[in-house]
Amino acid sequence: MVSLDLVRKAARLLSGRRDAVALTGAGISVESGIPAFRGAQGLWEKYDPGEYATLHAFMRSPRKVWSMLSELLSACEGATPNGAHLGLAALERMGILRSIITQNVDGLHQAAGSRRVIEYHGNMDALVCVSCWKRFPARDRCAEGGVPVCECGQILKPDVVLFGEPIPWLAQEQAEEEAGSCGVLLVIGTSAEVSPACNIPVLSREAGAAVVEINPEPTHLTRTVTDIHIPGPASEIVRILVSELSRAVLPLSETGPRD
Ligand code: OAD
């Protein structure tokens, strides 16, 4: 059962702001049918990330890594945005949410209508040749299954960040800029286990932002940087948050400082 009190607290923090930013992770897409990485149903229960998610593993055994990537790709292809993606798009239209920094590669924020989306770990839509760097839409080259290949004969890799690869520099710059200048950071559906994404909430907090965490489970952020942790599923919480913020301006007596 979602705590209405906590959601209202978060709504009071967001009310009247135009500088909120969201950091999202795999948990926001779980209700769209895409598995998260960690936890009981997570992809890393089935696939060891050391063997399936590093650049080194990909170059050594592309067929093996592509078997895992194909599973992720088909989950992404069949998925549609849920209430949390749609709610964040609504917050952007309301002028409250300035941007989303997402670790997800599923494109569901854009499908929901969000326009300022920083893809911190890339996107599954594009493939890039490991030799000549030519890019292709994934749907053009993945149809036959197996390892997709470039016109030059070399293997294609999805344009996502594997362990051992740097964050795309533009995404890194934009994320730091957004996180370092927002008034409220909404951290939704991430275990915050992976660096450097896990440093984003710390950066926001140090720059003076309030941090609201939406996640059924506490994370290591909860005790250290989070101001309000709202336990529960993202779709329901964001839906209530949007409906609270859509009402007439909150009474002044309710808009106290954060606690
Ligand atoms: P994780 O799988 O590590 O964490 C998912 C989080 O979502 C967990 O904290 C869950 O408790 C939470 N969660 C589950 N269901 C939820 C729901 N309905 N609503 C809200 N939260 C829910 O996913 P990420 O933190 O995104 O990187 O993982 C970060 C990175 O690790 C990924 O981008 C990927 C992975 O290895 C690379 O591959 C480089």
Side-chain angles (χ1 to χ4, degrees), residues 200-232:
I200 290 171
V202 181
L203 175 64
S204 295
R205 190 73 171 86
E206 284 175 356
V211 176
V212 175
E213 200 178 0
I214 297 174
N215 194 318
E217 307 294 332
T219 68
H220 69 90
L221 296 174
T222 313
R223 278 174 165 270
T224 52
V225 290
T226 299
D227 293 282
I228 303 173
H229 171 218
I230 311 173

Side-chain angles (χ1 to χ4, degrees), residues 25-27 31 36-38 44 103 121 161 163 189-191 194 215-216 234:
E31 292 168 82
F37 296 97
R38 295 170 184 80
W44 297 160
Q103 297 164 83
H121 287 162
V161 176
F163 289 109
T190 178
S191 63
V194 173
N215 194 318

